[in-house]
Amino acid sequence: MTGLILVYALLVAIGGIVGYIKASSQQSLISGLVSGIALAIAWFLSLQNPSAGFALATFLALGLLIVFAIRFRKTGKLMPAGLMAALSLVAMVIFAVSWLG
């Protein structure tokens, strides 16, 4: 289950890179890479201490859910804000169940 944190980290980082390429958004690049690195740290931590790693991943996914939900509400665009909000919600639930279950 810890591999899902790494998959989510890669999706977030790649999303930031794509946002930079498509829209020349430095904000997307920086936030995507920083979030991806933070999630990669949560993944690494989960290998040593699953509870701590999944707790960190849960809170990071919650933060990203909030950011993308706000963006989706402002723009109404499914891509990328709505898709990332939905992905973050699913990831957060999976990570929380792994952490608390």
Side-chain angles (χ1 to χ4, degrees):
M1 199 57 86
T2 60
L4 291 177
I5 299 172
L6 189 57
V7 170
Y8 182 56
L10 291 171
L11 289 173
V12 169
I14 290 168
I17 294 167
V18 170
Y20 177 72
I21 292 170
K22 287 195 169 205
S24 298
S25 172
Q26 287 185 336
Q27 180 182 0
S28 289
L29 178 65
I30 293 167
S31 61
L33 291 178
V34 168
S35 298
I37 290 168
L39 284 159
I41 290 168
W43 167 76
F44 183 75
L45 182 59
S46 73
L47 298 176
Q48 314 302 317
N49 182 345
S51 181
F54 279 108
L56 178 57
T58 299
F59 287 109
L60 291 168
L62 173 62
L64 289 169
L65 170 60
I66 292 167
V67 167
F68 286 115
I70 290 170
R71 286 186 190 166
F72 179 66
R73 186 168 183 206
K74 284 182 182 178
T75 66
K77 294 182 180 179
L78 185 60
M79 286 296 292
L83 178 66
M84 287 304 297
L87 178 64
S88 296
L89 175 62
V90 170
M92 183 192 71
V93 169
I94 291 170
F95 301 154
V97 167
S98 296
W99 169 36
L100 300 171

